[in-house]
Amino acid sequence: MAPKPVTSPVSEAWYPTLAVSMIAVGLIITASFFIYEATVSRKNRCLAKELTRGAVASVFLGFGSLFLLLASGVYV
């Protein structure tokens, strides 16, 4: 039996759309994180909210960067 070629689970036509949308969502969540840090006093901050927003923004920006690289022809 011949080996199957490795293919992406996402169609290559979706790479630019995924890159723009994920980076946009990541930047919006990052902005909300900075607004939260600037407006809430130190006594009233919640570590869970900070870690959650930071982690979600990081995931979206990471995958957005990956799809941006793939869309531009840099296969990682």
Side-chain angles (χ1 to χ4, degrees):
M1 180 159 72
K4 295 180 182 178
V6 178
T7 59
S8 173
V10 179
S11 173
E12 288 186 29
W14 281 94
Y15 289 169
T17 305
L18 286 171
V20 170
S21 60
M22 286 189 161
I23 289 175
V25 170
L27 289 175
I28 290 169
I29 297 171
T30 302
S32 75
F33 175 80
F34 283 123
I35 291 169
Y36 177 79
E37 290 295 321
T39 57
V40 177
S41 67
R42 285 190 178 227
K43 288 187 244 177
N44 297 331
R45 288 186 187 159
C46 178
L47 181 62
K49 282 185 183 179
E50 293 178 13
L51 290 175
T52 302
R53 285 184 184 177
V56 172
S58 177
V59 167
F60 273 101
L61 289 173
F63 278 108
S65 300
L66 172 71
F67 283 114
L68 182 64
L69 286 169
L70 292 173
S72 63
V74 179
Y75 295 104
V76 290

